[in-house]
Amino acid sequence: MHTPAHAGRGDGSDGRKIFEMSMISSKWAATAGAPRRAGLAGFAAVFLGLLAAACPAMAKPLALEKEELRLGFIKLTDMAPLAIAYEKRFFEDEGLFVTLEPQANWKVLLDRVITGELDGAHMLAGQPLGATIGFGTQAHVITAFSMDLNGNGITVSNEVWEMMKPGLPKTADGKPQHPIDAKYLKPAVDKFKAQGRPFNMGMVFPVSTHNYELRYWLAAGGIHPGLYSPTDISGQIQADVFLSVTPPPQMPATLEAGTISGYCVGEPWNQQAVFKGIGVPVITDYEIWKNNPEKVFGVTAAWAEKHPNTHLALVKALIRAGQWLDENNNANRKEAVKILAKPEYVGADEAVIANSMTGTFEYEKGDKRSVPDFNAFFRYFGTYPYYSDAVWYLTQMRRWGQIPEAKPDAWFAETAKKVYRPDIYLKAARLLVDEGKAKEADFPWNTDGYREPTNAFIDGLTYDGHTPNAYLNQQVIGLKGDQRVEGNRVVGQAQK
């Protein structure tokens, strides 16, 4: 747990200048005596001029409804915007005194935001959506800030890797060709089935990006990852591979114990498997869906309504943290790695965190490759909460039965707008531009909230957030049209 930090700018320089000038002013006033008080007005003018020079971008501060905040996170490298906003004093620049608290798992984190024990938190992109539509815990949760793009990977055990390896296409240097399609996992799945062994894989939460990315990869390779129904929320109906929840930091140990044969998780827990020699990452989510949205910063709608200026101040600080993480072609990443390695944040070895955080990714031991966008925190308008990102996650909830009945396209759009709040984001961005802390070109002012249609998926299918049902109808595995799950069967029409 953190204790509240000290006031001042990120480097402390402006705070020191103001303090020193205030001390000079106080000393002068105490010793000048009554005959010289006529000069006070002139000195005050000089002092205010010096103060303005020290803080050229200082604007009228927001009238904060709440200054002391408790924010939650899970020990993953993509919590970095929170750590950087704290360490670089971006929170303090906004008048916020923040305590950052690691949480045991995603359910505990969400529950504590809903109950008000936490003011807000680092969340899975699907959590505000899942809570708002009532899958699991029912609560209206919103996000006005996307924390990062990409950042996950899928790792398999050494046993499974040895089964996959012979069939993989090779590059000229004899190394496996990436990205690796899940069809090369199928022989291992079939062998487990023939031996009477379940093929178990871990993901971090039912509405996690990891669950949907793992399912997408498996299904694209012809492997059924299972369905949910209102009466069976295991997500394992008709499954070839059985997915279950494991908290991120426990993934490597659970793999090593043989409880699971693979997992999808964020960093540093894929690279940890490489360092421990217990598994091999086979694909990153960048290769499953290029520049996919990963985590968000979430608060309840009630909290946002009660604390609008405090919410704006939080988003401002987080935008600046994202900028810092990506600026000058990732020049600050080595410093970020040192910060994240602290026990109060991620608490993993610097070398493990650096393996992905500094623009590389190690697959098989010694096979380190350049992946400059494995973690993107600001570029590509990465912090803007696009409606189309929300709609994609809703399509996956529908595809796998978490949304049990068909929904019209309009429902997807309305739900996205209820949860994702780019209006708040752009208001915070405008304040930063006016204060000289960001550039006009840094933000997508004229967007309708939807990204351009893209086919940058491992299966090459085109996704257009305006037409979610047409996207679902392209999928071979999963629910579409009026289909629903009854017992262990899929009933209804595939096409509307």
Side-chain angles (χ1 to χ4, degrees), residues 150-304:
N150 312 315
N152 295 334
I154 296 173
T155 292
V156 298
S157 68
N158 291 334
E159 178 191 14
V160 171
W161 177 243
E162 291 305 317
M163 294 180 190
M164 293 178 67
K165 208 171 173 182
L168 296 176
K170 305 292 193 299
T171 59
D173 59 4
K175 293 180 179 178
Q177 184 175 301
H178 284 268
I180 293 175
D181 194 295
K183 68 183 180 184
Y184 298 108
L185 179 67
K186 205 166 189 314
V189 174
D190 291 342
K191 187 171 182 178
F192 270 55
K193 190 177 293 185
Q195 295 172 347
R197 300 165 62 192
F199 196 101
N200 299 320
M201 296 189 79
M203 48 78 180
V204 307
F205 202 64
V207 294
S208 67
T209 50
H210 318 76
N211 187 20
Y212 304 130
E213 289 162 359
L214 180 53
R215 287 170 176 273
Y216 202 99
W217 180 66
L218 291 169
I223 300 171
H224 201 308
L227 298 168
Y228 296 83
S229 79
T231 57
D232 184 349
I233 58 171
S234 69
Q236 298 180 353
I237 298 169
Q238 298 187 1
D240 296 321
V241 169
F242 301 96
L243 310 186
S244 60
V245 171
T246 303
Q250 295 175 26
M251 288 288 192
T254 309
L255 182 73
E256 190 171 18
T259 308
I260 55 177
S261 296
Y263 56 71
C264 183
V265 74
E267 285 309 312
W269 309 116
N270 295 288
Q271 295 301 286
Q272 186 79 291
V274 178
F275 272 68
K276 292 182 74 173
I278 60 172
V280 177
V282 293
I283 193 167
T284 68
D285 62 342
Y286 179 84
E287 297 163 308
I288 297 170
W289 175 15
K290 182 180 178 181
N291 292 333
N292 65 90
E294 175 48 25
K295 301 297 192 306
V296 297
F297 179 78
V299 300
T300 64
W303 188 95

Side-chain angles (χ1 to χ4, degrees), residues 436-453:
K437 294 173 182 173
K439 299 173 184 175
E440 191 85 14
D442 288 341
F443 306 101
W445 304 103
N446 299 317
T447 181
D448 65 351
Y450 287 78
R451 297 182 189 270
E452 290 296 314

